Amino acid sequence: MVQTRQDEAVVYGTEDLLSSLCQSVTRVLNVATQCQISYSGMVQRITKTCLKPDIGCFVLFDGGFSGLVVINFSAQTAMELYESYMLNMGMPKSELASSHTSDEVSDIMGELMNQIVGDFTGKVRRELQTHITQNQPKMLVLNKQVVLSVDTHLDQPESRRVTFYTGKNNIFYLELAIDHTEFIKLHDFEANEVPDPDALIAQASTGLAAAAAPAEVEPAADHEALLKSLGM
């Protein structure tokens, strides 16, 4: 039996976008902190996103589709990720902040959040062939729950929450609010590969070296033959 176009279509929906975002969280944090980050195989449908104690962070994105990403860290989770990140960067433990309320901790968590959403938006461009942009992450140190109400221009919002675990079994939560959307594959295509920064740097260095190299000097015999042909 011949399949219809609808049967052949590959549909990429909210849960697929959420799964891609969760993979970006684990990929970035595993590399940046050298901690083993994992997440639950179950996802919660929620009615609203909110910032919760002790550190809440949110990022808005817009473009091909609009949405909001929230990550809520407990004090213990934030300090574990902050310390692991700084130690992995070569900072001595004696110079690290001792409290999650430190501006340095908020700055690092904001930077990690920025890398996570940046990794996600890159995958969206490569795999879904659309473009989204993000704003700067906003970090808040909280001592009570705050309901987050941000104008995201969502017509049919869908919200999800996923539980994450660190190597020391500390917990943090990712929340995603996004317009109901589906991507339907119209024809086969190959997603662009992730650029290799090392390869690009090496290629650029090779080109610069070649441009800077002096021109090869012609042998004396060739030089004399040229003069002779010119009657000199």
Side-chain angles (χ1 to χ4, degrees):
M1 185 176 72
V2 178
Q3 288 184 313
T4 65
R5 183 184 184 87
Q6 185 175 1
D7 293 332
E8 296 174 347
V10 176
V11 179
Y12 197 95
T14 300
E15 269 64 42
D16 299 297
L17 288 168
L18 178 63
S19 177
S20 180
L21 179 58
C22 289
Q23 291 167 15
S24 289
V25 172
T26 56
R27 177 177 179 271
V28 169
L29 293 183
N30 284 339
V31 172
T33 68
Q34 296 299 299
C35 291
Q36 190 58 44
I37 307 297
S38 60
Y39 58 93
S40 171
M42 300 294 289
V43 57
Q44 294 174 266
R45 293 180 185 269
I46 56 179
T47 58
K48 58 186 176 183
T49 58
C50 57
L51 292 173
K52 296 179 180 179
D54 292 296
I55 292 182
C57 180
F58 70 92
V59 173
L60 291 164
F61 55 85
D62 200 2
F65 55 92
S66 299
L68 167 69
V69 179
V70 175
I71 300 184
N72 291 308
F73 301 97
S74 68
Q76 294 82 4
T77 303
M79 290 304 294
E80 178 187 349
L81 296 176
Y82 159 75
E83 290 178 358
S84 298
Y85 176 79
M86 297 301 285
L87 293 173
N88 189 44
M89 294 291 288
M91 290 290 292
K93 190 174 180 63
S94 59
E95 296 183 12
L96 301 185
S98 58
S99 171
H100 75 280
T101 59
S102 167
D103 289 342
E104 185 177 344
V105 175
S106 294
D107 290 343
I108 294 301
M109 302 311 293
E111 172 58 27
L112 291 174
M113 182 76 164
N114 192 47
Q115 292 180 28
I116 288 167
V117 180
D119 185 84
F120 173 66
T121 58
K123 286 193 293 185
V124 166
R125 286 193 295 271
R126 296 191 304 272
E127 298 174 6
L128 299 183
Q129 297 195 337
T130 189
H131 180 79
I132 58 175
T133 58
Q134 69 186 78
N135 70 349
Q136 270 304 111
K138 306 295 189 299
M139 299 290 300
L140 293 174
V141 179
L142 307 165
N143 56 16
K144 62 181 179 179
Q145 180 169 320
V146 176
V147 176
L148 180 66
S149 179
V150 181
D151 184 9
T152 55
H153 306 291
L154 300 182
D155 297 321
Q156 295 178 290
E158 295 184 332
S159 300
R160 304 286 189 269
R161 178 188 293 130
V162 180
T163 304
F164 282 77
Y165 305 90
T166 68
K168 295 181 179 179
N169 288 322
N170 287 315
I171 294 175
F172 64 95
Y173 300 94
L174 177 142
E175 296 181 3
L176 171 68
I178 189 173
D179 249 339
H180 174 73
T181 185
E182 290 183 344
F183 287 85
I184 301 171
K185 192 173 186 179
L186 296 179
H187 59 81
D188 289 333
F189 63 87
E190 292 186 6
N192 296 329
E193 295 183 359
V194 180
D196 182 352
D198 293 335
L200 292 176
I201 292 173
Q203 183 178 1
S205 298
T206 301
L208 289 173
E216 184 178 348
V217 180
E218 292 183 335
D222 291 342
H223 180 66
E224 291 179 1
L226 177 60
L227 294 177
K228 186 176 181 180
S229 68
L230 294 175
M232 299 177 65

